[in-house]
Amino acid sequence: MAGNEDVVAAIAGIEPGGALAGIVAGRADIMALTQKTHDGALTPDNPGGLSDAERAALAWRVAKINDHKGFEDHFEAMLEKAGAPEQAARLADIWFNGGSDARARAIIRHVDLVAHSPKDATRHDIELLQEAGLADADIVRLAELVAFVSYQIRVAAGLQLMQRFA
């Protein structure tokens, strides 16, 4: 599912006319904003220094860290749609630390830190990204991506939990 119709509802398994569809429809504004943010974070008009493929791979990595198969499949499909360049695809491998590529190593380190323990990120972590050559705007884009994907996964997980009790 890389069509981006309503990613959270689709991954959460909310069917039209289903028990949760009415509840979600009551929050249509939030769901629409969430989808708009998804599209903007993953395939922005101006990607800056983070390509669409890198964004999809890093989102896939965050989904793996959160052990969410639905989002793993979604972001893998987005990576394939972006052409899946090998270097970008490696960013999704949670066992890959960037190797000898200082930029990839810094990005992966930061994504893993923020996805696992955002409260532990410090000014020094931002400085490491700058030292690896990331522009300030790209550091913000990276932070937005990780924060948004983490939010999106939590919303879907909450809806999936509600679905079980509906």
Side-chain angles (χ1 to χ4, degrees), residues 3 14 21 44 64-65 68 90-91 94 102-103 115 122 140 156 164:
I14 297 173
K64 288 178 179 179
I65 290 169
H68 198 290
R90 296 226 42 213
L91 296 173
I94 60 172
R103 179 181 177 274
T122 67
V140 172
R164 282 190 222 143

Side-chain angles (χ1 to χ4, degrees), residues 19-31:
L20 281 181
I23 293 170
V24 171
R27 303 306 303 225
D29 54 339
I30 300 296
M31 298 303 284

Side-chain angles (χ1 to χ4, degrees), residues 54-108:
E54 288 176 320
R55 290 165 186 266
L58 293 168
W60 188 11
R61 186 179 186 96
V62 173
K64 288 178 179 179
I65 290 169
N66 283 279
D67 194 26
H68 198 290
K69 182 72 173 133
F71 278 104
E72 289 178 36
D73 293 345
H74 172 70
F75 293 126
E76 180 181 15
M78 289 191 75
L79 179 60
E80 289 174 13
K81 185 176 177 182
E86 184 177 331
Q87 185 62 27
R90 296 226 42 213
L91 296 173
D93 179 352
I94 60 172
W95 301 110
F96 179 61
N97 71 357
S100 61
D101 182 336
R103 179 181 177 274
R105 205 171 44 251
I107 289 172
I108 288 169

Side-chain angles (χ1 to χ4, degrees), residues 125-150:
D125 298 306
I126 301 303
E127 292 168 352
L128 291 175
L129 290 168
Q130 292 170 326
E131 290 170 14
L134 270 77
D136 289 348
D138 291 330
I139 294 170
V140 172
R141 290 178 180 109
L142 183 61
E144 290 171 340
L145 177 68
V146 176
F148 174 72
V149 171
S150 296

